Amino acid sequence: MKDVWTTMASIMGVWAFFQTLLHTVFPPELRFAALKFLHRLTTYFSSYCYYDITEVDGVNTNELYNAVQLYLSSFASISGTRLSLTRGLNSSAITFGLSNNDRLIDFYKGITVEWEHIVTQRQGQTFSWRPLPDEKRGFTLRVRKNNKHLVLNSYLDFVMEKANGLRRRSQDRLLYTNSRGHPWESVPFKHPSTFDTLAMDPLKKAEIMADLRDFADGKIFYQKTGRAWKRGYLLYGPPGTGKSSMIAAMANYLGYDIYDLELSEVNTNSELRKLLMKTSSKSIIVIEDIDCSINLTNRNRNGYGGGNTCTRSNSYGVSASTPAANGGDDGGNTITLSGLLNFTDGLWSCCGSERIFVFTTNHIEKLDPALLRSGRMDMHINMSYCNFPALKILLRNYLGYDEECDLEKELEEFVGAAEMTPADISEVLIKHRRDKNKAVGELVEVLKLTADERKRVKSTVGNGSHEVEDEEQEKRALDSPKEENENDELQENCHDCEEKDGYHVEHEDEEIK
């Protein structure tokens, strides 16, 4: 045993002697050149190439590093054996990541790539305006040389795109609104509506979902065709048919934020453009009740139907604009139809990408035809009264009916003739949700009574007259009469405004003697 230790000591002495001789004979520059040459030699004969992605690039954070970390977390929870768990700020999901110095294999278009997470202690730091972390973290990507072009041209872009999608789905969505003096203010968007819970015909629902998915995945298509990456939807139908729930379901399905634009809070067209410029990509811009929001001022009914320009004559025979023509009751809103059209389909609408415009209205016939054409409102969605397929979804949501119920034939018989909205039917089910049989029985009675009432009204007053009465009642509830106090001798002479407000004013002509 003593001889073994003596031999090892001799070997270590010889190694120390040669190391000292090497440092004395060969200067550091020569040694560095020799190591560099050996590294190039091994790299030349190696069949792999390596790419380093560090966490910090100089003093700035490397976005590619964060994207790779998030991308690998999507399948690290399945294939990894040692994982690090994190939960970011404003995030509702836990992120899985590679542990220190761990490896993971990924497959892309038939090629194999290997990721390694390398963490080393940072050496003594020099003075820096931005303190650096104690650990130096980064990813090393190893790929075969013959696949190098595929990685650089498309794989890294694929990683960035997937990471952005994961980040958007994991973060809480926001609901923005505008107010005077404050362009956009946001609150967390927690609406639970999804396409699974939306009471709507399944075929129409599947068509809408496919259209949304084609839009979200259509970046290359829109670039190839030279079209702006945006799409417009018009939701129209009676109140209570689920237009707001449809918007929430669209946002939850795509993971987009919502900008609820209140036109009455916008003064001018230029202010409207500024609001558009401050919206982000991957968002839904909503204008609800477009026919009741503002009075569009640059198109009259005589020239081209659909406008709301009004004139009145004073006691001196001079034509003057009414407050409705000047933008509403406040007198300060000067948004024009041209400004709204440019907002949805003009040059300024292309200042961002991947945006969806959604307009809602209870009366599609009131809208100007220019708003309805393709390119502005590409898809018109009729949110109609509840039919039997939609009713089955409501029964599943509120009562848990996955199969047929006892009174299904009666429900199918009366639901079409009753013409009830999903909101009205939901209210009946909510009242008796603790007793399923009682809820269904009550619903059958309500549907039957409503259908009989509809039939009676149609037979006595005439086909479709009840719809006119409902429309007039809704107009009177939504719109209040606009009274003028400027001059007692000014008289109203505006038929368009009377139809808009839903009331009739008797016109009297006075002659000034």
Side-chain angles (χ1 to χ4, degrees):
M1 187 65 180
K2 184 177 179 180
D3 296 338
V4 174
W5 285 108
T6 303
T7 303
M8 291 181 62
S10 300
I11 294 174
M12 292 178 62
V14 173
W15 171 253
F17 171 75
F18 278 107
Q19 188 176 13
T20 304
L21 182 63
L22 181 65
H23 286 191
T24 304
V25 175
F26 299 98
E29 294 79 3
L30 185 59
R31 295 198 306 270
F32 178 76
L35 292 175
K36 187 176 180 180
F37 174 76
L38 291 175
H39 176 72
R40 288 184 176 180
L41 188 63
T42 54
T43 303
Y44 178 78
F45 288 103
S46 174
S47 59
Y48 292 93
C49 55
Y50 299 84
Y51 301 96
D52 294 328
I53 302 174
T54 58
E55 180 183 16
V56 179
D57 182 15
V59 295
N60 299 320
T61 302
N62 190 354
E63 294 184 2
L64 184 57
Y65 173 86
N66 296 330
V68 171
Q69 189 177 37
L70 189 59
Y71 168 73
L72 295 179
S73 69
S74 61
F75 55 90
S77 59
I78 301 176
S79 58
T81 56
R82 184 184 179 98
L83 305 174
S84 61
L85 307 180
T86 57
R87 180 172 179 173
L89 183 65
N90 193 29
S91 176
S92 58
I94 296 177
T95 301
F96 300 88
L98 289 178
S99 297
N100 298 347
N101 303 317
D102 200 0
R103 298 187 178 187
L104 195 64
I105 302 297
D106 187 22
F107 301 95
Y108 176 74
K109 292 185 178 181
I111 68 172
T112 303
V113 296
E114 181 182 284
W115 290 98
E116 182 179 3
H117 191 208
I118 299 177
V119 179
T120 57
Q121 291 296 324
R122 193 180 297 275
Q123 301 298 326
Q125 300 184 23
T126 59
F127 175 77
S128 175
W129 291 105
R130 178 186 177 185
L132 298 176
D134 296 333
E135 293 180 338
K136 185 178 180 181
R137 293 183 290 268
F139 287 100
T140 297
L141 173 62
R142 191 184 78 159
V143 63
R144 290 188 174 274
K145 290 183 177 179
N146 54 352
N147 298 325
K148 176 180 178 180
H149 65 284
L150 184 60
V151 171
L152 295 179
N153 292 336
S154 62
Y155 178 65
L156 294 180
D157 292 336
F158 169 78
V159 170
M160 290 289 293
E161 183 179 353
K162 287 291 184 180
N164 291 333
L166 292 170
R167 185 181 297 109
R168 187 172 64 252
R169 286 193 293 270
S170 63
Q171 289 181 346
D172 292 336
R173 281 170 291 282
L174 299 177
L175 173 63
Y176 294 86
T177 186
N178 63 300
S179 60
R180 305 217 170 162
H182 302 279
W184 291 112
E185 295 177 340
S186 65
V187 294
F189 181 70
K190 300 289 186 180
H191 202 291
S193 177
T194 63
F195 278 106
D196 290 335
T197 61
L198 191 64
M200 192 177 187
D201 186 86
L203 296 178
K204 184 186 297 184
K205 190 188 305 183
E207 180 184 357
I208 297 171
M209 294 174 64
D211 189 79
L212 290 171
R213 181 48 54 195
D214 289 341
F215 169 79
D217 298 337
K219 179 179 180 180
I220 298 177
F221 170 79
Y222 281 90
Q223 290 178 349
K224 181 180 178 181
T225 56
R227 291 173 59 94
W229 194 7
K230 64 181 182 63
R231 191 157 179 82
Y233 294 87
L234 175 65
L235 309 182
Y236 67 96
T241 52
K243 292 185 286 293
S244 297
S245 297
M246 168 64 76
I247 296 172
M250 294 167 67
N252 290 327
Y253 180 67
L254 296 177
Y256 287 5
D257 294 333
I258 294 181
Y259 289 85
D260 187 11
L261 180 59
E262 183 61 47
L263 288 180
S264 61
E265 296 291 332
V266 184
N267 292 327
T268 61
N269 292 337
S270 61
E271 187 176 338
L272 186 64
R273 289 194 297 267
K274 291 178 182 178
L275 285 173
L276 178 64
M277 292 173 60
K278 293 181 180 180
T279 59
S280 62
S281 299
K282 300 182 183 297
S283 61
I284 300 176
I285 302 174
V286 180
I287 302 179
E288 293 192 282
D289 297 323
I290 182 63
D291 57 307
C292 301
S293 297
I294 60 171
N295 291 323
L296 305 177
T297 64
N298 64 329
R299 181 173 294 183
N300 57 49
R301 199 172 189 84
N302 293 331
Y304 189 43
N308 296 307
T309 300
C310 308
T311 59
R312 64 187 181 190
S313 299
N314 57 20
S315 58
Y316 301 99
V318 179
S319 177
S321 296
T322 65
N326 285 328
D329 294 329
D330 56 359
N333 190 306
T334 59
I335 297 178
T336 63
L337 177 61
S338 176
L340 185 60
L341 296 180
N342 288 330
F343 176 81
T344 57
D345 193 32
L347 293 176
W348 289 100
S349 67
C350 307
C351 62
S353 61
E354 201 169 352
R355 284 197 184 101
I356 291 178
F357 292 87
V358 178
F359 286 6
T360 70
T361 180
N362 297 333
H363 308 284
I364 189 175
E365 69 278 359
K366 290 185 178 182
L367 299 185
D368 194 291
L371 279 171
L372 303 179
R373 73 167 180 81
S374 299
R376 288 166 184 149
M377 295 296 107
D378 302 289
M379 190 174 187
H380 298 182
I381 302 174
N382 182 14
M383 309 294 293
S384 59
Y385 294 108
C386 189
N387 55 17
F388 185 65
L391 177 60
K392 294 177 67 175
I393 297 176
L394 292 176
L395 294 176
R396 184 193 64 191
N397 294 341
Y398 291 96
L399 305 180
Y401 273 114
D402 293 328
E403 299 178 355
E404 296 183 0
C405 61
D406 297 335
L407 300 177
E408 184 166 325
K409 292 183 179 180
E410 289 81 354
L411 292 173
E412 186 176 4
E413 179 181 356
F414 296 113
V415 67
E419 294 185 356
M420 292 182 64
T421 65
D424 294 333
I425 293 179
S426 299
E427 186 60 28
V428 177
L429 298 178
I430 289 176
K431 290 181 179 179
H432 308 284
R433 63 183 181 275
R434 294 181 179 87
D435 190 342
K436 297 182 179 180
N437 295 329
K438 184 178 180 180
V440 175
E442 182 70 18
L443 180 59
V444 170
E445 293 297 326
V446 171
L447 291 175
K448 185 176 180 180
L449 290 175
T450 307
D452 292 341
E453 181 66 18
R454 297 287 190 190
K455 184 177 180 181
R456 184 186 66 81
V457 172
K458 288 181 179 180
S459 61
T460 57
V461 184
N463 186 20
S465 62
H466 68 284
E467 296 180 359
V468 177
E469 293 179 359
D470 291 344
E471 182 176 343
E472 293 299 326
Q473 291 177 2
E474 182 187 344
K475 288 179 182 178
R476 287 192 291 268
L478 289 178
D479 301 328
S480 60
K482 296 180 172 62
E483 299 178 354
E484 302 299 330
N485 297 321
E486 298 177 356
N487 193 334
D488 294 338
E489 297 180 357
L490 295 180
Q491 298 184 355
E492 298 294 333
N493 190 21
C494 180
H495 296 284
D496 293 341
C497 291
E498 292 171 353
E499 294 178 2
K500 177 73 178 178
D501 296 334
Y503 69 96
H504 299 280
V505 177
E506 296 182 357
H507 294 279
E508 298 178 359
D509 297 332
E510 295 183 357
E511 295 181 356
I512 301 177
K513 298 182 180 180

